[in-house]
Amino acid sequence: MSDTRSPQVLPNRKPTQHLERFSEADIPTERGTLRTIVFRDKRNGREHVALVVGDVSGSEGVPVRIHSECLTSEVFGSLKCDCREQLDRSLDFITQAGEGVVLYLRQEGRGIGLGNKIKAYALQAKGLDTYEANRQLGFADDLRTYDIAAEMLRSLDVRSVDLMTNNPLKIAGMVEEGIPVRRRIPSRTEHNPHNVDYLRTKRERTGHLIELFAEDDDTEAKAG
């Protein structure tokens, strides 16, 4: 069941203008046709992608997933996180709903890049958790920003979103950038022996709204 609590959102930051809408085409996929729009960051040339289903221009409550690149899971099939599952489920959701947007941001490893992410994995193999490993490498817990996501949504003329996420920082990021978040749609995935500690750490250390076990559903039901 979706979280129906709706944050009250008012724009409180001047909209950014860092992107150019660089290219666009319809791509046939196993899920159906995805309108694929590439945005290029004028500051660094980095390209971000919006995958769009349906006519979202001028729409309220558009299902949106803000997804950061994860080469290790999405391409190589790593079991150390649930990123590929979250991407797959969000694409399933918008294609089945007939409307929605997945924003694919090039922010590998919570913003530290692929090489440093693999260094962090090596430290995790020695007993550090994901945040401790980042800190030992000299990085903050999460370097991702969401101004680019907000600018992409404004370019698509999305008026408000139903955000598919477990991460409160993404909701806060949209609020800060002036994108109305109508409600949260939980992003549920299956855990495995390789990522359960990682998911538990995210829940306990940074408040991710992750349900790992059956009793989590019971707790949420009682709280509701």
Side-chain angles (χ1 to χ4, degrees), residues 110-135:
R110 296 200 303 272
I112 67 175
L114 180 60
N116 285 315
K117 176 181 176 180
I118 298 303
K119 285 185 178 181
Y121 280 176
L123 292 172
Q124 290 171 37
K126 297 178 180 179
L128 275 64
D129 70 29
T130 180
Y131 299 112
E132 293 166 344
N134 272 29
R135 292 171 189 171

Side-chain angles (χ1 to χ4, degrees), residues 67-111:
H67 187 89
S68 295
E69 176 184 34
C70 182
L71 184 76
T72 50
S73 71
E74 294 157 5
V75 177
F76 303 147
S78 169
L79 298 175
K80 285 182 65 63
C81 62
D82 64 341
C83 298
R84 182 176 179 175
E85 278 191 83
Q86 291 203 62
L87 178 61
D88 285 344
R89 292 200 178 193
S90 61
L91 289 171
D92 288 342
F93 189 99
I94 65 172
T95 52
Q96 291 168 13
E99 179 188 58
V101 180
V102 172
L103 301 179
Y104 191 86
L105 307 185
R106 308 301 295 276
Q107 301 188 126
E108 180 80 45
R110 296 200 303 272

Side-chain angles (χ1 to χ4, degrees), residues 29-79:
T29 75
E30 61 185 11
R31 296 178 172 87
T33 300
L34 298 176
R35 182 156 56 102
T36 304
I37 304 167
V38 176
F39 293 84
R40 180 170 288 178
D41 192 325
K42 293 179 284 189
R43 299 167 295 180
N44 53 29
R46 189 172 294 169
E47 294 177 334
H48 308 275
V49 183
L51 301 169
V52 183
V53 173
D55 183 5
V56 300
S57 178
S59 295
E60 301 280 355
V62 176
V64 170
R65 164 79 183 166
I66 302 172
H67 187 89
S68 295
E69 176 184 34
C70 182
L71 184 76
T72 50
S73 71
E74 294 157 5
V75 177
F76 303 147
S78 169
L79 298 175

Side-chain angles (χ1 to χ4, degrees), residues 110-188:
R110 296 200 303 272
I112 67 175
L114 180 60
N116 285 315
K117 176 181 176 180
I118 298 303
K119 285 185 178 181
Y121 280 176
L123 292 172
Q124 290 171 37
K126 297 178 180 179
L128 275 64
D129 70 29
T130 180
Y131 299 112
E132 293 166 344
N134 272 29
R135 292 171 189 171
Q136 185 154 321
L137 292 172
F139 298 109
D141 290 348
D142 195 334
L143 295 176
R144 291 174 295 179
T145 59
Y146 299 106
D147 56 333
I148 291 299
E151 190 170 344
M152 292 167 78
L153 291 171
R154 281 191 287 269
S155 177
L156 297 172
D157 193 28
V158 171
R159 302 298 174 85
S160 67
V161 303
D162 289 354
L163 199 61
M164 292 180 273
T165 188
N166 298 325
N167 186 354
L169 292 179
K170 288 184 181 178
I171 299 172
M174 290 294 94
V175 170
E176 190 174 2
E177 296 297 334
I179 299 296
V181 179
R182 195 178 70 167
R183 61 174 179 163
R184 181 182 75 88
I185 301 173
S187 182
R188 295 186 173 94

